[in-house]
Amino acid sequence: MATSRPELQAPPEIFYGDDEARKYTSSSRIIGIQAELSERALELLALPGDGVPRLLLDIGCGSGLSGETLTENGHHWIGLDISESMLNIALEREVEGDLLLGDMGQGLGVRPGVIDGAISISAVQWLCNADKSSHEPRIRLKVFFGSLYKCLARGARAVLQVYPENLAQRELILSYAMKAGFSGGVVVDYPHSAKKRKEYLVLTCGSASITSATPKGKGEEGDSGSDGDSSEDEYTSVSVSERQRPRKRQKLNKKVKGKEWILHKKEQMRRKGNKVPVDTKYTGRKRKPRF
């Protein structure tokens, strides 16, 4: 099963070459999945229902399938992707958004505070791979989340749908989001279903508040989210985190050295020929605390 994950086969700009990009965009199954995931991400963004178009960022936009959902909902968007082949198909399809060719692991290159919300569908987990000798996943995650935090307006959300390889990878991604200043957590739809399970990082630009509480995942109550093929529930349904300054490690009290240790050290010094004070009844005796 591991070989079926695209991010384990080749870097994204190579894996999504001309042939794969065209095959990806022409698949009715993939189009349907992308539309469903994008609608859910837009729902989790919780944008104001005032009918005013927002400027959104689509990270890993590919050929613009998720961007079409944003357009259909009346929003303007900017799409970023590392695959030139994917962006060429997006241009052929005449998508409404503005397209940027770039590597999200090197920063997003968007002006600070101008984005009203960001979505990403199946892209962020690629940052956990070292596709080049210069790639360090932790540094790339730090740069990505730092630039994402800067370009979002205060209080804006980012909803990142991810396919983490394991629990450690999910925690790694979430930890760097928190270090960048985000609050929020992970929303898991249909946590007990092996087929329908989907994970979303729902992040708010700024500290946590009542209005920025992490939404509840679908299929958490009853059996509506189970297709009969349940997997081991190694994740919690909703994981909430908040940015906190790391606490300084307290120094452990050193073990008190008693009279035997002192006598042993003095004997060693005598054997070396050093001048050592004679032993008395006061040697190694604990002094009383002063007033």
Side-chain angles (χ1 to χ4, degrees), residues 87-141:
L87 294 179
N88 287 336
I89 293 180
L91 292 173
E92 290 178 12
R93 299 174 67 245
E94 298 181 349
V95 296
E96 296 292 331
D98 296 322
L99 304 175
L100 300 175
L101 176 64
D103 179 3
M104 60 181 168
Q106 295 181 353
L108 301 176
V110 180
R111 288 177 57 188
V114 300
I115 301 297
D116 299 312
I119 70 167
S120 178
I121 307 299
S122 312
V124 175
Q125 70 270 7
W126 287 84
L127 291 174
C128 296
N129 293 342
D131 296 318
K132 299 178 181 178
S133 59
S134 59
H135 283 184
E136 170 51 54
R138 286 174 173 79
I139 294 177
R140 289 169 60 77
L141 285 167

Side-chain angles (χ1 to χ4, degrees), residues 31-51:
I31 292 173
I33 293 174
Q34 282 282 336
E36 181 182 348
L37 296 176
S38 303
E39 286 285 359
R40 177 59 170 153
L42 194 56
E43 178 187 348
L44 293 172
L45 274 183
L47 297 170
D50 52 10

Side-chain angles (χ1 to χ4, degrees), residues 172-204:
L172 177 68
I173 295 172
L174 184 60
S175 67
Y176 276 91
M178 299 300 110
K179 289 176 182 178
F182 285 104
S183 59
V186 180
V187 173
V188 182
D189 286 350
Y190 309 108
H192 305 294
S193 171
K195 294 180 181 178
K196 298 177 68 176
R197 180 190 181 98
K198 295 293 184 292
E199 298 189 24
Y200 301 83
L201 268 67
V202 181
L203 309 172
T204 302

Side-chain angles (χ1 to χ4, degrees), residues 36-37 40 43 187-200 216-233 235-238:
E36 181 182 348
L37 296 176
R40 177 59 170 153
E43 178 187 348
V187 173
V188 182
D189 286 350
Y190 309 108
H192 305 294
S193 171
K195 294 180 181 178
K196 298 177 68 176
R197 180 190 181 98
K198 295 293 184 292
E199 298 189 24
Y200 301 83
K216 194 172 185 180
K218 291 183 178 181
E220 290 185 25
E221 295 180 355
D223 297 325
S224 59
S226 177
D227 58 5
D229 184 13
S230 59
S231 58
E232 183 180 354
D233 194 10
Y235 303 92
T236 54
S237 296
V238 180

